[in-house]
Every structure is written in structure tokens, then in C-alpha cells.
Amino acid sequence: MLSRPRSTIAQAARVFATLSLGAVVAVASSVSAFAQNVPVIRDAEIEALVRDYARPIFKAAGLANDGIDIVLVNDQSFNAFVTGRRLFINTGALMTAETPNEIIGVIAHEAGHIAGGHQQKLRDQLERAKTMAIIATLLGAGAIAAGAATNSRGLAGAGMGVAAGGGEMAQRSILAYQRTEEMTADRSAITYLNATGQSGMGMLKTFHRFQTALSLSGAQVDPYRISHPMPQDRIANLEVLVKQSPYVDKIDPPALQQRHDMMRVKIAVYMDGQAAASRLIRKMPGSLAAQYGDAQATYLFGDIATALAKTNALIKTQPKNAYFQELRGDILMKANRPKDAADAYAKAVSLDPARSGLLPVSWGQALMAIGTPDSLKKAVVQINNGLGRDKENSAGYRYLAQAYGELGDIPGAELATAEGHFYSGNYKDAKIFAMRAQQQMKRGEPRWLRAQDIINYTPSNKIKIK
Ligand SMILES: [Zn+2]
């Protein structure tokens, strides 16, 4: 990020539909003000954790259990749903849940809806749609204008194929279920939780909270509560099932709880600001999560040298933690030490068990910041590596285009820009850049053929909400 001029908040918001937590900080002077406008946040650590929550449940439910994409929707309300290969979850849901089990229970319930074939038609449409189109549908026009495109046409106008229809209520009722379907999904959820040796208490706690929240007038309405009816008899039935389970008293493994705490602290620090983070950190005195939050808050709001010392201490505690290395890289980038940052990101990539596509892109950015022809070539390799793992990382294509540009490979830069537009669902601009790239390429060469694929692509699916 340091290799190019700092963007203003507005420019950054126009450019990126999604941002990594680190990038949010790098481009924005006011972290929380900007972060609130980004509809999707990307973070290797959080995505890996939620995927670890989902994988055993998906397996028990007979659903695809590898290659699950976790989409973190930046919204403080509670919502979560699965389309098939993608699990959408609001940061608000992750922040509300004090234990992994609460999230795992909700994922189990959602898996129950899929296994039951509930809302299959809509779900098929969602599965074919680009992630950003779904986000636009979920969050509505406000989020589109603020986060993804300030160019007045928004995602829908840019060919995203979203028919949001009835405004806010339509968004709330996306994937709305009938009461009988809820009972079926609850029963399936208990089956999956039992099969994986986990308690249903977290799910029960979450649903109880929605039920009691109904009496609060004027409180924020959680989309999840609107789509999932929770009448008294349903919760009562669920309670019986949960308590019959031999695993009712099973609690999450301490290492998983620790990762959960670290995730919540991270969301608080990056998205909710210093005060909110301090409040949460005070509830976890002496914990590694508190230490992690403190290091992150120092990086964002305090002294860089102190942040580095605190992060080095974290690394001493868990030398194999990829995300501590990632934080170290972020800090070194802010300190204008791209060479050291590149080393830290390289370590993060080698330690990351989840093989996130985000970390190689960060490594590539550090290599770009070094700025020599050799490091630029290495940057291209790493960014391409990251994009190979994660094709919808629209910010990654921007860095790739910049790296090609600095190397003098203009058609490469234009094709990368075309790809970025393509995977954001902005097909019109994707075609424009693909055609420009082709003009400088040899007809029939691999890159020319890829450009042709983009030019020939016809978006066909619209998301229709009843
Ligand atoms: Zn449900």
C-alpha cells in the first residue's frame, strides 16, 4: 500500500468493493468511519476460523466440505446463511457470539435448511451470482452507494443483475422460511451436532435471544430473526432435543475458544474502534486475545515501535501463528520497512494452514513497495499465486495491474484490470479492458484467449426476491 499515493476515503470506497482489514487501515485516515462503509471485509484469520467451524458440520450434513468460501459481511446486525459453496455471515453475528458453539449451532441450523431443500430455487440463483451481487441484495442501496460504487449506477447498474424489488423488507426476507421448515432444520442441526460431538446449547442460546428481543420495540431488527420464525413452541421443542443430547454439556476446546476470542477482539479493534475494543479486552484479562487486541490497537492508534515489540512478544508465545506474522508485516509496512514486511508475510504464507489467498497478495504488496524490477517480478508471482487461490479478491487485481504497469507490461495490466471488474460482476468495464488488452496481444496466445472469454461472457442470472 505504501508504494502508491494514499487515497482519500471516498476514492478508496469507489475503488474497492472488498478490503482486507489491514488495507482498511492503510488507505483510510479514519478507520472506523471508513470501515463502516465497506460491505465485505476480508481477513485470512477470521475466514479460516469460520471455515473450521463449518467444515465438520457440512461433512455431517453431506454437503461439500472443502472449498467453502466464507463471506464476512460488515454489518452489526445478526445474519448468516449458506448458498452451497459460500457461507455468508455478518460480523455482528460473530461479535454477539461469546463461544464458537453459538456460531457452529447457527451453521448447523443453516446446513439443515440446505439438506432439507428449503428455498432451493433462490439458493441456486444465489450460488450462480457473484458474491458482491448478493451483498448488494442483502444490504440494499445504501451499502452499494457507500461501499462498492459511488458512481451513481451502483452494482445493479453495473450489470450485477440484482432485482431487489421491495426495498428493505425484501432484503430482510431473503431466504425466509416457514415454521415447519424451521422445525426440520432444528432437528437436522441436532443430528449434525451429535454426529460431531457438539452441544446444541449455543444454538439454543442464540435463538432464545432472538425470541426475547421481539419484545424490545425500537431495537435494531436482526435480518436473521425476520427470516427464521421463532415461535414459543419451536424453541420449546428445540430445548428438549438439545437437552436429550449426550453432548449437551460439551464445551468448545480451549484452543478454539481462544481463536474465537482473538477474532472478536480483532473485529472490535478494526471495525468498532478503540473504545469498543478496550471494553471487550477488559473482559478477557490476562488472555492471549487481550494481548493480541492490545498489539493491534497499538498498531492502529498508537506508537509503531511499541506495536512491533508487542507483536514480537505474541510471536514468542505462538511462533507458528501465521496471523501474528501477518500483523508483524502490516506494522512493518506502516513503518516503511517493506523488505522486513515481505519477510514477515512470507513467513505468514508458509505458516498458514488454511492457504488463504490474501496473505500472498500482502506479500506481493510488500515486494511492490521495495520497488526494484526483481522485487516487482516476485510481486507478480505472489499476487498471481494469491489470486489463483481466491479469484474474487478484487483488490488483488488492482495490485497486480499496478505491478504489471510498473514493469511496463501494459496489456498485462489491462487484462488484470479486466479480471478485477469481471470478478466484481462489473462486466461492462471488464469487456472494455479486455478489448484494450487484446489490441496489444498476439491473437490466440493464452492471455488473449482469457481476454476473449471475458468479452464473450454473458451474465444471465438475476436474483429475484419474492
Ligand atoms: Zn431457519
Side-chain angles (χ1 to χ4, degrees), residues 109-110 113 177 181-182 185 224 227-228 234:
H109 176 89
E110 291 308 296
H113 280 308
Y177 302 102
E181 293 176 329
E182 291 301 345
Y224 196 83
S227 53
H228 299 251
R234 175 192 157 199

Side-chain angles (χ1 to χ4, degrees), residues 278-358:
S278 301
R279 274 197 301 278
L280 185 60
I281 289 169
R282 273 199 298 274
K283 288 183 194 163
M284 310 168 175
S287 67
L288 190 69
Q291 216 183 319
Y292 190 33
D294 180 39
Q296 290 169 322
T298 308
Y299 155 56
L300 293 183
F301 311 109
D303 172 68
I304 279 294
T306 312
L308 191 58
K310 287 175 176 176
T311 304
N312 288 341
L314 286 168
I315 291 171
K316 253 195 175 151
T317 314
Q318 286 193 352
K320 300 231 155 126
N321 188 315
Y323 315 112
F324 291 168
Q325 295 289 349
E326 181 190 20
L327 175 59
R328 186 179 148 80
D330 293 346
I331 292 169
L332 290 165
M333 283 296 276
K334 197 174 176 184
N336 236 328
R337 292 168 55 187
K339 264 190 190 154
D340 296 330
D343 290 344
Y345 290 129
K347 264 196 199 121
V349 170
S350 71
L351 290 171
D352 177 23
R355 293 176 51 80
S356 169
L358 297 171

Side-chain angles (χ1 to χ4, degrees), residues 6-8 16 38 132 139 164 167 216 263 283 311 344-345 367 379 399 407 422 429 436 440 449 455 466:
R6 298 244 165 165
S7 311
T8 65
F16 298 110
V38 182
M132 289 313 297
L139 297 180
L216 297 172
M263 167 187 70
K283 288 183 194 163
T311 304
Y345 290 129
L367 290 164
Y399 307 132
L407 283 166
F422 181 79
D429 287 338
R436 276 168 55 171
Q440 304 162 73
L449 290 172
I455 292 164
K466 62 184 178 185

Side-chain angles (χ1 to χ4, degrees), residues 164-218:
E168 201 182 344
M169 280 315 289
Q171 291 139 28
R172 283 180 185 173
S173 70
I174 188 169
L175 293 175
Y177 302 102
Q178 293 166 7
R179 290 179 183 209
T180 50
E181 293 176 329
E182 291 301 345
M183 308 281 240
T184 308
D186 286 341
R187 275 196 301 274
S188 302
I190 296 294
T191 305
Y192 310 147
L193 289 167
N194 283 344
T196 54
Q198 302 182 89
S199 171
M201 286 302 283
M203 178 171 58
L204 189 61
K205 182 183 170 189
T206 301
F207 291 169
H208 255 309
R209 193 176 48 241
F210 288 133
Q211 203 186 21
T212 50
L214 278 170
S215 56
L216 297 172
S217 61

